[in-house]
Amino acid sequence: MLVAMTDSAHTPLSCPACRVIDAADGLEDGNLFATIGRSLKHENHVVESLKRAQDRVADGITTFAGSLNFVYIHTIWFGIWILLNVGAIGAALVFDKFPFGLLTMIVSLEAIFLSTFVMVSQNRQAARADIRAELDFETNLRSEIWSVHIGQSLGVDLTHVEEVVRQAIEGSKRQLSEDQGSTS
Ligand SMILES: [Zn+2]
């Protein structure tokens, strides 16, 4: 991508707007950004995995486990199980005596699988957020390059704007670190 850009007639160094973008990282080297040629690793692979049915099942199970229905069902299940097995309805119906070893085993297995499903869902959400961040990055980069070129053709003092941007970023970063220092 970078090679194609520098080989074309519109090289960064012949265009004043591109020169300003180039110089914004402190080094006028003909590369607009060190990151401009970087593309998302295994993006298609990630998207494919997002579509996979088994992962969607994991999402569905996690959603259900995070609902109040899950609590109600378990409350009713445990209630009936315990009532039956303490002999509240009749000694003939007791199949899992106190301290309910079978129930303990079933619930332990359920907990193991549920925690795994939660982690699978978390990984999928993180992958989704990564893709979104990458798209945001590309959109920001595109709009920056466009606005610098538009500003240049309108006769805006680009170095002045770049200086203001630098000061504004520094100021807001300082404010942010001061805020964090006062709250913590
Ligand atoms: Zn340009």
Side-chain angles (χ1 to χ4, degrees):
M1 192 174 175
L2 276 176
V3 174
M5 193 175 290
T6 46
D7 281 348
S8 65
H10 182 86
T11 61
L13 294 178
S14 73
C15 168
C18 283
R19 210 151 54 220
V20 170
I21 300 172
D22 183 15
D25 58 359
L27 184 68
E28 199 169 338
D29 52 2
N31 294 339
L32 289 183
F33 286 95
T35 49
I36 199 167
R38 192 172 56 100
S39 60
L40 184 61
K41 289 167 257 127
H42 314 306
E43 185 175 353
N44 290 334
H45 169 74
V46 172
V47 171
E48 277 310 304
S49 82
L50 288 178
K51 288 186 202 155
R52 272 207 300 266
Q54 59 188 30
D55 291 347
R56 280 212 303 273
V57 169
D59 270 1
I61 291 171
T62 309
T63 307
F64 174 61
S67 69
L68 277 175
N69 278 343
F70 188 80
V71 178
Y72 299 147
I73 288 171
H74 279 75
T75 308
I76 294 165
W77 171 25
F78 294 158
I80 292 172
W81 190 290
I82 290 169
L83 277 178
L84 280 178
N85 288 296
V86 294
I89 297 168
L93 290 171
V94 174
F95 61 93
D96 184 28
K97 283 201 188 75
F98 182 85
F100 319 116
L102 179 60
L103 180 65
T104 308
M105 191 200 73
I106 292 171
V107 171
S108 304
L109 288 175
E110 190 190 19
I112 288 169
F113 281 109
L114 266 185
S115 55
T116 311
F117 282 130
V118 169
M119 284 187 279
V120 169
S121 284
Q122 276 178 346
N123 289 340
R124 275 161 58 70
Q125 274 157 12
R128 240 182 249 138
D130 281 350
I131 291 175
R132 238 176 255 140
E134 195 75 17
L135 291 176
D136 282 351
F137 167 74
E138 283 168 15
T139 310
N140 288 338
L141 196 57
R142 175 172 290 118
S143 64
E144 180 187 356
I145 290 171
W146 270 105
S147 48
V148 171
H149 282 79
I150 291 167
Q152 193 235 340
S153 64
L154 287 175
V156 173
D157 184 355
L158 296 178
T159 45
H160 162 71
V161 173
E162 199 53 52
E163 179 63 20
V164 173
V165 167
R166 202 184 53 76
Q167 284 175 6
I169 291 174
E170 266 174 22
S172 63
K173 269 185 187 164
R174 200 163 27 210
Q175 207 167 28
L176 197 67
S177 60
E178 277 167 11
D179 287 350
Q180 282 170 343
S182 64
T183 50
S184 62

